[in-house]
Amino acid sequence: MGRPQKVIQQRANGTYYVRLHKDGRRLTRSLGTKDPLVAASRASEAIRSLQEDERGLEAERWPGDEPAVIGEMQPDGTWVERETTWREIAEPEELLRTDWKDLLREAVAVRKRSEGKDFSDSWYTNNELAIRDCPFTLDEASPKAIRKWIESMGPSGKGYKGRTVEMRCGALSNLINVSIKSGLLEEFSNPFEKVSFTNKSTKHIYTASEEDYERMKAVLETAPTGTRLLLLIQMYGGTRVSEVQKREPKDFDLEAGTMTIPIGTGKNKSSERTIPLPSWLCEEIKAWGFQRSWPVTTGVNQRLSLAKKELTTHSFRHGFIRLSRELGCEPMAIEAFIGHRLPGMQATYGSGFSVNALAKAAAPIWKRIDELTSRA
């Protein structure tokens, strides 16, 4: 029989942490101290948070360590105040007050209840970064505190770009709104709605022109096979680059000439779709046989910049839409083809468009790209 696992342990650098085993997995959380007495006082909070938060979000602040003042009557009848911590005078339930991590867990519960699935890893990353960056607790959140945080993230502080600041504030604002609607935060007003944190200097995504498609001939001729195929799927499929990079062999039916973005793997519900691909492109994919993984976006963009510095992988998604308009293609079919949400009841009745209908709608675009890249 193995030795019993110690809940409180110490790392090589002296920092204490708690460790739990749950469903065959090991969960740990740093106690943020090398002092054994402080570690012991924080352990119950850490264990509770680990039991409720299996993603291992680190505790950046400990409510029990917040300063407090307690008054004591001395034997001589004088009243003396001394500094202590909130942990010494608070009731146990007061130490377990609602905080950002509770809102994150609430948002996950609401998502699973309403849509039957969890958030993406990127959603967790964005929210966890926001929580770790935030210098105040939920109780301390106010327009003034938010304004100071925004200033600390700006050019004179951490140097974050406007988009990053927007994402940090937006993540916490969304967590609050979800928890208000779910009933977790009763009679709570979202302080973020009283502060402007949106980024108006959003970088413009360049749209590929017909001249850019002509330049692609040289790029495609010299690109590695995986990069070439990724770009061709984007050019002829109007896809997001991630929609190609996540695809496995099982997502392609090369005999039927289709690529599928399965349920649960798209950016949103509308992006989960099956699209047709030109038959010659399917043959190239078949010959490649997925010998290597798809290339990373940075490398592909660097290769595109050799043709034109403004070009990125997303340029061809925009270019696909521009060509469809110039060629007078069926707009709703093209919206469904690229994974945009169809307006009104068109998204509810008729289940969108068949693969054959999508291929018919895209045919003029494919022909034009063939002409521009000298495939015709």
Side-chain angles (χ1 to χ4, degrees), residues 71-81:
E72 296 176 331
M73 184 68 71
Q74 302 300 307
D76 61 2
T78 59
W79 180 264
V80 177
E81 293 185 344

Side-chain angles (χ1 to χ4, degrees), residues 92-106:
E93 62 271 14
E94 292 180 296
L95 283 175
L96 304 180
R97 66 192 182 193
T98 302
D99 210 336
W100 298 117
K101 293 177 293 181
D102 297 297
L103 303 195
L104 187 146
R105 287 188 284 269
E106 180 73 2

Side-chain angles (χ1 to χ4, degrees), residues 88-371:
E88 182 180 348
I89 61 176
E91 296 296 329
E93 62 271 14
E94 292 180 296
L95 283 175
L96 304 180
R97 66 192 182 193
T98 302
D99 210 336
W100 298 117
K101 293 177 293 181
D102 297 297
L103 303 195
L104 187 146
R105 287 188 284 269
E106 180 73 2
V108 172
V110 171
R111 167 85 166 187
K112 291 181 177 179
R113 184 170 63 247
S114 61
E115 300 191 27
K117 60 182 180 181
D118 203 346
F119 288 105
S120 65
D121 289 339
S122 62
W123 182 90
Y124 277 99
T125 299
N126 290 336
N127 281 275
E128 290 170 3
L129 287 173
I131 291 173
R132 290 172 183 174
D133 253 2
C134 184
F136 47 81
T137 66
L138 177 62
D139 290 341
E140 298 166 341
S142 67
K144 184 177 181 179
I146 295 168
R147 180 175 179 273
K148 288 184 177 180
W149 182 32
I150 292 173
E151 290 178 348
S152 72
M153 289 188 286
S156 60
K158 295 182 179 179
Y160 290 169
K161 293 183 179 180
R163 176 58 178 161
T164 302
V165 174
E166 181 179 8
M167 290 176 66
R168 294 289 190 274
C169 294
L172 299 188
S173 179
N174 289 335
L175 290 180
I176 290 175
N177 284 335
V178 169
S179 296
I180 289 174
K181 293 180 180 179
S182 73
L184 177 66
L185 297 179
E186 295 184 77
E187 301 179 3
F188 193 94
S189 177
N190 188 346
F192 284 93
E193 295 181 350
K194 300 178 181 179
V195 182
S196 176
F197 56 81
T198 55
N199 173 36
K200 297 182 179 179
S201 58
T202 302
K203 184 178 179 181
H204 172 70
I205 297 176
Y206 178 77
T207 299
S209 65
E210 292 198 348
E211 291 76 14
D212 295 322
Y213 282 96
E214 292 175 342
R215 294 188 183 97
M216 286 304 296
K217 179 181 178 182
V219 174
L220 294 170
E221 287 176 348
T222 59
T225 305
T227 301
R228 169 185 166 83
L229 293 175
L230 181 147
L231 287 170
L232 286 171
I233 293 173
Q234 283 210 273
M235 291 166 62
Y236 285 83
T239 63
R240 302 174 178 89
V241 66
S242 61
E243 291 176 340
V244 183
Q245 291 167 329
K246 293 179 180 179
R247 300 286 65 79
E248 302 175 6
K250 64 181 180 180
D251 298 325
F252 291 86
D253 186 338
L254 299 177
E255 298 302 323
T258 63
M259 182 184 84
T260 297
I261 300 168
I263 294 174
T265 64
K267 180 179 180 181
N268 49 49
K269 186 175 181 180
S270 301
S271 68
E272 297 164 348
R273 64 199 188 278
T274 296
I275 62 172
L277 296 173
S279 58
W280 60 267
L281 179 52
C282 291
E283 291 301 320
E284 286 199 22
I285 297 172
K286 187 185 302 183
W288 179 49
F290 298 88
Q291 298 172 14
R292 300 183 66 178
S293 59
W294 296 105
V296 297
T297 307
T298 304
V300 179
N301 282 335
Q302 288 175 346
R303 183 170 292 272
L304 287 174
S305 67
L306 299 176
K308 191 172 185 177
K309 65 178 182 179
E310 295 86 357
L311 276 176
T312 68
T313 54
H314 211 71
S315 296
F316 295 102
R317 180 170 169 82
H318 288 198
F320 190 92
I321 298 170
R322 173 184 281 180
L323 286 175
S324 73
R325 292 170 180 168
E326 293 178 350
L327 296 169
C329 299
E330 166 57 43
M332 288 300 100
I334 295 301
E335 291 293 294
F337 192 106
I338 64 175
H340 280 172
R341 181 182 179 185
L342 299 181
M345 299 306 294
Q346 295 184 67
T348 303
Y349 291 108
S351 300
F353 294 83
S354 67
V355 172
N356 289 337
L358 295 179
K360 183 178 179 180
I365 304 173
W366 292 352
K367 180 180 179 182
R368 185 58 182 149
I369 297 176
D370 284 346
E371 295 170 348

Side-chain angles (χ1 to χ4, degrees), residues 60-72:
E60 292 298 318
R61 58 184 67 81
W62 301 85
D65 289 339
E66 293 179 1
V69 175
I70 186 171
E72 296 176 331

Side-chain angles (χ1 to χ4, degrees), residues 7-27:
V7 176
I8 303 178
Q9 300 191 33
Q10 192 173 23
R11 302 189 190 280
N13 65 2
T15 301
Y16 286 92
Y17 67 99
V18 295
R19 172 185 290 176
L20 297 181
H21 289 78
K22 186 176 182 180
D23 299 329
R25 295 184 299 121
R26 185 172 61 189
L27 307 176

